[in-house]
Amino acid sequence: MNNGSSPSFAMVAGETSGDLIASHLLQAMRLRWPALSAMGIGGPHMSRQGFVPWWSSDRLAVRGYVEVLRHYRDIINIRKELKGRLLARAPELFVGIDAPDFNLDLECDLRAAGVKTMHFICPSVWAWRADRVDKIRRAAQHVLCIFPFEPDLLHQQGIEATYVGHPLAQAIPLQPDRSAARKRLGVAAEAPVLAVLPGSRASEVQYIARSFIEAATQLQRLKPGLQVLIPALPHVRPAIESLIAGSSSPFIRVVDGQSHAVLEACDLALVASGTATLEAALYKRPMVIGYRMNALSWQIMRRKRLQPWVGLPNILCRDFVVPELLQSECSPQRLAEEALAWFNAPDKAHALQQRFSALHQELLRDTAQLATDAIQSVLQS
């Protein structure tokens, strides 16, 4: 292993949130192994940490059974070629970053061939698809967990695991600076601001963005002076701008990326279910969670759910602390109603912020130290 000073790592992150989380892990790994090499599938955040992407994480950014079928051949071909490369020249360690449908099968194959494997972000077997436990046991020698209750569940199943905290809890300040964020974005200090985050996948924008934008338009009529900000990545921005052009909104501004700045600047967020809901919670912002997908995909996923919640803030708080509007409920009218209710209940919003502050403290750990310690132990095993 090159005297332990320059190990080679392979990594796969399957979407924008995985790319961001993996970049924080890479930054910590490089502090311990400055000469490391890392390659595989990733995005721009990982690339800024010296990662070499053989494929972009956008190629894997698909959610839902029917949606995956449309891209199945491409995804399978990527996994087959990636496996071939990694078996031909094996890394010291493979780290799968979330994307369990892609990574767990790959990890099983690599581990069976003698490659050491880890998985970062425990698949949410406690929320749905508990049948994945057996595959996790075969796939990963060690799982890095971002929620405190996960290691005990995995240990009960004979799976080595470590709670490392959530990288975003370190990346996001305990006390967000709304004024500074508004200055950076050129937003008036006293204006009411709504953040709209309809997802980072093209399929999410297809199913969700229109309802979110129409809800924002309704809110602007009900709350004069409301500023609406939509952070958008380049691959979904044209679709979002097309929807805005077809709306009757007097002002909706699309921002290149900068989702954290937008969440820090806003008073309230409309958020597609996913990691962005946790980001909004860590910025202590009230939110309305919405989600819609292909009807058949929804029916399949709904039958596999083990909990009444789908949004991470509600799952972690074990309560419906923020509204969840799914499928037919994710309509412009309902979204606007729930959003307006937050604007009209400042005391309730303040109580929620206190709860999110406690959640932030619970997720805040020395992730860099804990994660790299666990990686070191696997490398030496």
Side-chain angles (χ1 to χ4, degrees):
M1 199 173 74
N2 299 315
N3 298 319
S5 61
S6 54
S8 63
F9 296 94
M11 304 176 78
V12 170
E15 58 182 316
T16 302
S17 60
D19 174 39
L20 180 61
I21 288 171
S23 72
H24 293 303
L25 178 61
L26 275 167
Q27 186 177 36
M29 291 163 64
R30 198 167 290 284
L31 289 174
R32 182 168 290 204
W33 301 286
L36 71 81
S37 60
M39 71 294 293
I41 301 177
H45 293 290
M46 295 168 71
S47 294
R48 284 193 281 273
Q49 297 300 327
F51 181 82
V52 178
W54 292 339
W55 291 271
S56 169
S57 56
D58 294 343
R59 299 284 291 276
L60 308 185
V62 183
R63 174 176 286 185
Y65 290 90
V66 174
E67 294 82 355
V68 167
L69 286 175
R70 297 193 187 110
H71 301 271
Y72 180 78
R73 186 179 297 277
D74 183 45
I75 292 172
I76 290 299
N77 286 338
I78 290 173
R79 186 164 63 196
K80 181 179 179 180
E81 186 175 343
L82 175 61
K83 183 176 78 170
R85 287 198 196 186
L86 296 180
L87 291 180
R89 188 171 181 178
E92 269 81 11
L93 178 67
F94 175 86
V95 185
I97 308 293
D98 205 7
D101 288 313
F102 186 96
N103 277 327
L104 291 180
D105 283 330
L106 178 60
E107 288 164 21
C108 284
D109 291 341
L110 294 176
R111 189 178 182 190
V115 178
K116 295 176 179 179
T117 59
M118 295 186 75
H119 196 85
F120 188 20
I121 301 185
C122 175
S124 49
V125 291
W126 36 266
W128 74 301
R129 292 189 63 176
D131 57 305
R132 273 183 171 159
V133 169
D134 288 338
K135 183 176 284 188
I136 296 169
R137 188 186 299 110
R138 288 184 286 112
Q141 289 172 249
H142 204 102
V143 179
L144 301 178
C145 299
I146 59 175
F147 299 129
F149 57 84
E150 292 174 328
D152 284 345
L153 295 177
L154 294 180
H155 292 160
Q156 291 168 19
Q157 301 297 326
I159 301 168
E160 290 296 319
T162 300
Y163 173 51
V164 299
H166 202 297
L168 292 174
Q170 288 187 309
I172 294 172
L174 284 168
Q175 296 183 325
D177 191 337
R178 192 192 315 261
S179 297
R182 291 189 173 199
K183 285 181 180 178
R184 291 198 304 273
L185 293 169
V187 176
E190 301 304 321
V193 176
L194 174 72
V196 174
L197 291 86
S200 59
R201 304 177 180 92
S203 59
E204 289 175 325
V205 171
Q206 174 189 350
Y207 284 103
I208 299 169
R210 185 183 300 277
S211 291
F212 276 26
I213 289 168
E214 290 180 4
T217 301
Q218 290 186 27
L219 279 169
Q220 285 183 315
R221 289 196 291 266
L222 296 168
K223 195 169 182 63
L226 178 67
Q227 305 287 296
V228 178
L229 301 177
I230 305 181
L233 294 169
H235 66 281
V236 297
R237 179 164 184 157
I240 290 173
E241 289 181 331
S242 176
L243 291 170
I244 294 171
S247 75
S248 58
S249 170
F251 183 80
I252 295 180
R253 179 180 159 201
V254 181
V255 179
D256 285 326
Q258 301 184 74
S259 60
H260 282 198
V262 170
L263 286 170
E264 192 167 19
C266 79
D267 299 293
L268 173 69
L270 293 181
V271 193
S273 180
T275 303
T277 62
L278 181 60
E279 291 172 325
L282 292 174
Y283 276 108
K284 326 301 183 298
R285 299 300 181 244
M287 74 190 82
V288 179
I289 297 173
Y291 208 81
R292 185 187 288 119
M293 61 171 58
N294 175 279
L296 178 57
S297 293
W298 169 249
Q299 291 300 326
I300 296 171
M301 293 184 73
R302 186 171 64 172
R303 287 195 293 270
K304 294 177 179 288
R305 284 172 59 187
L306 302 177
Q307 298 188 89
W309 318 281
V310 300
L312 285 170
N314 291 338
I315 289 171
L316 292 170
C317 291
R318 313 296 295 174
D319 193 8
F320 283 103
V321 296
V322 299
E324 295 181 1
L325 303 176
L326 311 177
Q327 289 302 99
S328 60
E329 283 286 292
C330 185
S331 66
Q333 181 65 31
R334 291 284 289 114
L335 290 164
E337 287 174 357
E338 294 290 356
L340 188 63
W342 280 120
F343 278 121
N344 292 336
D347 290 345
K348 182 180 176 182
H350 179 72
L352 180 71
Q353 290 165 355
Q354 298 304 306
R355 192 158 189 178
F356 283 165
S357 292
L359 175 62
H360 197 153
Q361 292 283 1
E362 187 176 11
L363 298 178
L364 187 61
R365 295 292 185 272
D366 189 348
T367 301
Q369 183 71 42
L370 294 168
T372 54
D373 282 350
I375 290 171
Q376 180 81 63
S377 69
V378 172
L379 288 173
Q380 294 176 343
S381 64

